[in-house]
Every structure is written in C-alpha cells, then in structure tokens.
Amino acid sequence: MSLRVIAGAARGLKLKPAPGNKTRPIMDRVKEALFNIIGSRIRDSNFLDLYAGSGSVGIEALSRGAAYAHFNDIDRQAVQTIHRNLAHTGFKPKATVTRRHALDLIARGPDRHYQFLYVAPPQYQGIWLETLAALDENLNWQRPGSQVIVQIDPREFDAKRRFHHLEEIDQRKYGRTMLVFYQFADCARRSND
C-alpha cells in the first residue's frame, strides 16, 4: 500500500509505511473523508495521533495547517518511521514523537489542549474501547472543543457501550473502515452555559 500526503503544504509527498503488520494503515479515501469532515477546524489546531503507525494521519493534519502534532506509538520501528516521514515532509519542528503505551500517556494527562485526538489501535483487540474508557475517566483530557476520532473495523463497533463524558456525535463507514466521532459532552454543555 502506497502512502502519501493528500493535500496542503506537503501534498503529493510519499510516506514510508511502518514495517510489519502491527499498524492499521488508513486508505487515501478514508483520510480524505476524515479531513473533509474536520474541515477548516484543522487550521492552527493541536492534533494527537495516539497509535500513530507511520504518522500519516498526523502528518496530513500538519500539511493541512495544524499548528502541532504529537505522534505516539509503542512500536520501535513505527517510531523510527514517523521520524523519517517527519524529516521527509519538513514537519519535525511542529511535532513531538513519543514511544509509550497509549494508556500510560493518557494516565499522565495532556501536555497541552488537543482539539483532535485520533485513535486507530491494532484491530480486534478491544483496545479502542480501553482507550476511550481511559480518556473518559481522566478529566484532564476533557476540554471544550476537543474531539476524539476513532478508526476501527465496523465489526468492532459496540453500539451498546456508553461513556460518562464522551458522547458519540457522528459515524461514517467506508468499506471495512469506520470513523466514529466523539466529543466531551459535559465540556460542550459547560461551554454553552
């Protein structure tokens, strides 16, 4: 599968895929749809790519005008690939790359306010639910205007699963990929009061 930056400052640049089969690459049409949904809100935002793999989603965010992106992955080869792709696209000064278990990173709390938290963990292990539960429990992540976006196979989705603070606001299916959008409901209500 060929990875590339679709739009923005680094449009057309090819990216290296993360070696092995531990990551969940995103297809161009899904990535295009994702950023069409986000729209102009990506400009000057902070973007957290929690299970970053090759870094292609966070790099797309930077290419389209995000101010900063934090890339995290537990896999050493994925982290090396992210560094290479950031160097190739020229976005290293706008990025931080960490190698840590995502739940550990969530437990530590955010280093800044992230408008977008992208969650695309390994498939069929229920990790996306663990990740959302951890974000739901840690009040430090719950800021007005923050959106959590999950990329999963539609068969993984659990419509019965509810969270205390995270509220599903949209979902889209693209073949065997599903994007589910959440916001921190209590924050949205507090900011409207």
Side-chain angles (χ1 to χ4, degrees):
M1 176 188 204
S2 174
L3 290 175
R4 66 188 175 98
V5 182
I6 297 170
R11 180 181 181 168
L13 289 181
K14 290 190 176 177
L15 302 174
K16 298 229 179 278
N21 59 0
K22 293 181 183 174
T23 63
R24 181 191 304 226
I26 186 169
M27 299 190 52
D28 279 357
R29 73 183 182 110
V30 179
K31 189 162 51 172
E32 181 72 41
L34 166 67
F35 284 98
N36 284 343
I37 293 165
I38 291 173
S40 62
R41 292 175 295 146
I42 197 63
R43 287 192 204 107
D44 300 319
S45 67
N46 295 323
F47 193 96
L48 174 61
D49 196 346
L50 201 50
Y51 297 87
S54 66
S56 78
V57 176
I59 288 170
E60 189 73 32
L62 291 170
S63 184
R64 291 174 184 246
Y68 171 83
H70 182 157
F71 299 83
N72 182 74
D73 205 288
I74 192 70
D75 184 77
R76 177 178 275 113
Q77 290 181 307
V79 167
Q80 290 168 348
T81 302
I82 295 164
H83 280 294
R84 279 192 219 103
N85 285 334
L86 285 169
H88 177 61
T89 54
F91 291 132
K92 260 192 183 247
K94 294 179 160 191
T96 298
V97 182
T98 52
R99 182 173 173 250
R100 164 172 292 138
H101 194 288
L103 296 179
D104 178 46
L105 189 142
I106 292 168
R108 290 171 183 255
D111 59 343
R112 66 189 69 211
H113 175 200
Y114 290 97
Q115 284 79 20
F116 299 99
L117 294 82
Y118 195 72
V119 177
Q123 300 185 95
Y124 314 122
Q125 298 175 29
I127 298 171
W128 75 276
L129 285 170
E130 287 180 57
T131 303
L132 264 61
L135 288 167
D136 191 58
E137 290 169 13
N138 189 331
L139 295 176
N140 294 320
W141 289 96
Q142 298 173 26
R143 306 276 182 93
S146 291
Q147 205 171 67
V148 180
I149 304 162
V150 177
Q151 176 194 333
I152 54 173
D153 184 295
R155 291 172 290 185
E156 295 179 81
F157 185 68
D158 181 357
K160 294 177 188 165
R161 183 64 164 99
R162 297 282 183 254
F163 301 98
H164 297 292
H165 305 286
L166 277 169
E167 178 179 81
E168 183 186 332
I169 55 172
D170 195 4
Q171 64 173 253
R172 310 284 177 98
K173 288 182 192 169
Y174 307 92
R176 293 190 54 193
T177 303
M178 182 179 202
L179 296 175
V180 189
F181 296 79
Y182 294 87
Q183 69 181 6
F184 291 109
D186 293 347
C187 292
R189 281 193 274 280
R190 282 197 301 266
S191 66
N192 291 331
D193 291 342

